[in-house]
Amino acid sequence: MSNNQVLGFAPALGWNSWNTFTWDINEQLIRDVADVFVSEGYLAAGYEYIVIDDCWSLKERDANGNLVADPEKFPSGMKALSDYIHSKGLKFGMYSCVGTHTCAGYPGSFEHEFQDAALFAEWGVDYLKYDYCFKPRHISGELLYKRMSLALKNCGRDILFSACNWGPTMYTIGFGNRVLICTALPVISVTIGIQ
């Protein structure tokens, strides 16, 4: 895709793990949702994104400063999960945050924007939900959204940027060609066998 094209011109339709499962997520659940999206016709109806929300990582970055998927929840790793989702014809979404921590207390992307964007690209991420928790007071949210937007534009992969902006200062300015402002994926109910 060229920089002159708009990513996300049509509404991003899909499923996000948070409202149903909050922190109780794992690889098998996400695979099951992807399977249901195909078998029950959601993909054919235009619902293409499977987005893992907060609580997917370990509580600490590794020695190199990288985010690490929780190996108990995601034993095959995020790249393998992304490959599985893509093999179904779906797109893979992840979650991060402008702050030092995510809303649930996991590592946020503050001062790691370019590193995290490169990692998301390596994993095959197509959509980033970017939340607004634990934002340092000394820096504007607008600047932090622009910083991640720039990181995504330079990561080598087209990643739709969904800026979750609910904080005390709300921004309605554009961040280039890869942003949704104040949006969430439309809610659909997916029934899968959970034991």
Side-chain angles (χ1 to χ4, degrees), residues 92-162:
F92 180 53
M94 296 287 301
Y95 169 94
S96 192
C97 199
V98 303
T100 57
H101 294 84
T102 68
C103 298
Y106 292 81
S109 289
F110 179 69
E111 296 187 337
H112 291 272
E113 291 87 355
F114 285 84
Q115 183 176 12
D116 292 354
L119 184 62
F120 295 146
E122 182 181 313
W123 286 346
V125 171
D126 303 296
Y127 178 104
L128 178 63
K129 175 185 172 186
Y130 204 52
D131 221 333
Y132 199 73
C133 293
F134 293 97
K135 181 195 81 62
R137 292 181 182 194
H138 71 280
I139 192 164
S140 77
E142 177 182 354
L143 178 62
L144 294 175
Y145 285 131
K146 285 181 177 180
R147 198 154 66 186
M148 181 52 89
S149 177
L150 184 62
L152 293 174
K153 287 178 189 174
N154 289 283
C155 74
R157 182 175 180 82
D158 288 322
I159 299 176
L160 182 61
F161 185 32
S162 179

Side-chain angles (χ1 to χ4, degrees), residues 20-136:
T20 304
F21 298 103
T22 59
W23 57 83
D24 194 19
I25 55 173
N26 61 63
E27 182 175 332
Q28 190 57 55
L29 170 73
I30 303 305
R31 286 175 181 255
D32 290 347
V33 169
D35 292 343
V36 167
F37 258 58
V38 174
S39 68
E40 298 297 320
Y42 292 105
L43 176 60
Y47 291 85
E48 60 184 347
Y49 289 94
I50 304 294
V51 180
I52 299 173
D53 210 288
D54 207 346
C55 306
W56 59 266
S57 73
L58 292 178
K59 288 278 192 167
E60 300 289 330
R61 290 174 177 269
D62 70 14
N64 295 318
N66 290 310
L67 293 167
V68 179
D70 185 326
E72 290 185 23
K73 292 180 177 182
F74 299 95
S76 300
M78 289 303 177
K79 176 64 173 135
L81 183 56
S82 173
D83 289 346
Y84 183 82
I85 289 169
H86 289 143
S87 77
K88 301 287 182 178
L90 296 161
K91 294 182 180 178
F92 180 53
M94 296 287 301
Y95 169 94
S96 192
C97 199
V98 303
T100 57
H101 294 84
T102 68
C103 298
Y106 292 81
S109 289
F110 179 69
E111 296 187 337
H112 291 272
E113 291 87 355
F114 285 84
Q115 183 176 12
D116 292 354
L119 184 62
F120 295 146
E122 182 181 313
W123 286 346
V125 171
D126 303 296
Y127 178 104
L128 178 63
K129 175 185 172 186
Y130 204 52
D131 221 333
Y132 199 73
C133 293
F134 293 97
K135 181 195 81 62

